[in-house]
Amino acid sequence: MIGGFLLPLASEPLLAWPLGQTGGTFWLPPQSSSTAHYVDRAFHLILGIASFFFLLIVFLLALFLLRYRGRPGTLAQKAPTHSTALELAWSIIPLVLVVVIFTTGFYGYMEIRTAPRTAYEIYVVGQKWKWTFRYPNGYEDGELHVPVDQAVRLTMQSQDVIHSLFIPAFRVKMDVVPGRYTTTWFRAIQPGEYDLVCAEYCGTGHSDMITKVVVHPPGEFERWLRQADEQAQSLAPVDAGRRLVTQRCASCHSVDGTQIPNGGPSFKGIFGQTHTFRNAPPTVVDENYIRESILDPSKKIREGYEDRMSTFKGQLTDKQITNIIEYIKSLQ
Ligand code: CUA
């Protein structure tokens, strides 16, 4: 690629990018999706052109400074007023360059925006501050699991503010916006684990919105999905509750009594306690209080905490809420 000559190190996996993945280059993660090379090609093209002109301009600047510097006995010359040849050159060359850049970018853009009709559908919910992935059989997980060599289409929505789903190794990034669905797709070409992050600053827990994409080898994805679903279905209420809390609550609420920075109170030992609130009379933590806090978090704001949590209304079933309550009860 054009950028390659500028940085001979670019082909060496010198640095793991960004969080322990190998196989990428000095500055880019591995190209692990079928469309990643389109993005890299446009990036390298633009970088190459920009680098070339940067060096050219700096070189000419230095050269002219030296060559035409003021010396005793020389007088400043009058600048020429017009040169048709020059003006044509600095109009036509940039025109060609931007057309090349546009064509390269647009060609990849069309591929990246248009999901194949056979794509496997996964629903995504972005929320302060975690991702939830819902598979066609209804199973939900905090990690994105996909089969290798299969187009996967993500249909995404946000519960609160704008997030952005970003999988660097796939060169996939799409905003996740409240009040509408956005979509993106990819075809992973290499089994393995990749980072999935939020790329839109969405509040204090923004950097916690990091999870994994697990690309399963041929045939293994279906087995994983079936087993994960069966396991989730057959759990005792308290275990199902533990799983839900780990998946949905743990980025803000600990279960061991520690305080998560900018998060909410720990769940440890709260059942049966009497809590004081900034906007409500003291209340005993019981089933109804926990249920209300999940569905209408702003109604009772604990003394010493901010009104940060968004509602889980429509996201958790009654059964799931009951499981969470069972688990919180067990944390004595
Ligand atoms: Cu969600 Cu940043």
Side-chain angles (χ1 to χ4, degrees):
M1 287 282 90
I2 293 183
F5 74 91
L6 293 167
L7 193 80
L9 300 174
S11 57
E12 298 294 319
L14 282 183
L15 294 182
W17 197 101
L19 298 168
Q21 282 167 16
T22 52
T25 64
F26 175 67
W27 49 19
L28 290 177
Q31 294 180 342
S32 302
S33 77
S34 59
T35 50
H37 64 279
Y38 290 116
V39 178
D40 290 7
R41 187 190 303 169
F43 171 73
H44 285 127
L45 175 71
I46 295 168
L47 182 75
I49 292 172
S51 304
F52 172 77
F53 281 102
F54 173 75
L55 293 175
L56 181 71
I57 288 167
V58 170
F59 170 74
L60 290 178
L61 183 76
L63 183 74
F64 291 170
L65 273 173
L66 270 178
R67 184 155 177 184
Y68 301 112
R69 71 187 184 278
R71 273 169 286 200
T74 55
L75 288 173
Q77 308 261 324
K78 248 185 121 184
T81 51
H82 182 78
S83 163
T84 306
L86 260 183
E87 289 196 9
L88 282 176
W90 71 48
S91 301
I92 291 171
I93 293 173
L95 176 72
V96 172
L97 290 178
V98 293
V99 168
V100 170
I101 291 173
F102 171 80
T103 314
T104 308
F106 190 67
Y107 190 68
Y109 180 82
M110 295 302 279
E111 284 292 323
I112 290 167
R113 283 309 300 149
T114 319
R117 221 166 285 183
T118 53
Y120 186 81
E121 295 266 357
I122 297 175
Y123 275 89
V124 181
V125 176
Q127 184 176 30
K128 291 195 252 176
W129 285 284
K130 63 198 176 305
W131 299 102
T132 306
F133 303 94
R134 194 163 77 244
Y135 298 88
N137 65 356
Y139 175 71
E140 289 186 354
D141 203 292
E143 288 176 0
L144 177 58
H145 288 250
V146 297
V148 74
D149 288 328
Q150 155 79 47
V152 174
R153 185 166 181 268
L154 304 179
T155 303
M156 308 184 285
Q157 60 187 131
S158 167
Q159 290 294 328
D160 35 49
V161 299
I162 300 180
H163 303 277
S164 181
L165 182 134
F166 181 30
I167 308 171
F170 298 171
R171 310 294 191 275
V172 158
K173 188 195 274 176
M174 179 49 81
D175 277 6
V176 182
V177 182
R180 61 174 293 187
Y181 292 102
T182 53
T183 64
T184 190
W185 82 278
F186 57 82
R187 187 199 315 273
I189 55 175
Q190 230 175 353
E193 287 189 3
Y194 305 93
D195 295 318
L196 186 156
V197 300
C198 178
E200 182 74 48
Y201 183 66
C202 53
T204 47
H206 165 66
S207 58
D208 297 328
M209 285 188 77
I210 176 164
T211 185
K212 278 191 300 190
V213 186
V214 181
V215 179
H216 290 269
E220 268 184 30
F221 171 76
E222 290 73 15
R223 194 185 320 148
W224 168 83
L225 183 58
R226 204 176 50 243
Q227 281 174 357
D229 188 43
E230 280 167 8
Q231 210 175 29
Q233 304 269 8
S234 64
L235 289 176
V238 60
D239 294 321
R242 176 182 298 118
R243 192 167 176 284
L244 280 165
V245 165
T246 308
Q247 232 174 58
R248 315 293 293 258
C249 320
S251 56
C252 297
H253 299 275
S254 82
V255 293
D256 59 1
T258 54
Q259 175 61 44
I260 291 177
N262 296 310
S266 175
F267 289 159
K268 170 109 179 145
I270 59 166
F271 199 85
Q273 282 180 353
T274 304
H275 285 176
T276 52
F277 300 97
R278 288 166 42 186
N279 56 349
T283 309
V284 175
V285 177
D286 61 5
E287 287 86 349
N288 279 314
Y289 166 72
I290 296 175
R291 184 186 158 79
E292 181 189 75
S293 297
I294 292 171
L295 298 178
D296 193 358
S298 304
K299 199 135 178 203
K300 294 196 176 79
I301 300 162
R302 185 95 179 264
E303 205 75 67
Y305 290 90
E306 299 294 318
D307 182 14
R308 282 215 177 91
M309 178 169 158
S310 32
T311 176
F312 281 77
K313 207 174 272 173
Q315 287 191 62
L316 294 170
T317 62
D318 279 348
K319 188 177 161 199
Q320 287 175 312
I321 292 173
T322 309
N323 291 342
I324 290 174
I325 293 171
E326 283 305 307
Y327 176 56
I328 291 178
K329 270 190 201 170
S330 76
L331 294 169
Q332 292 303 324

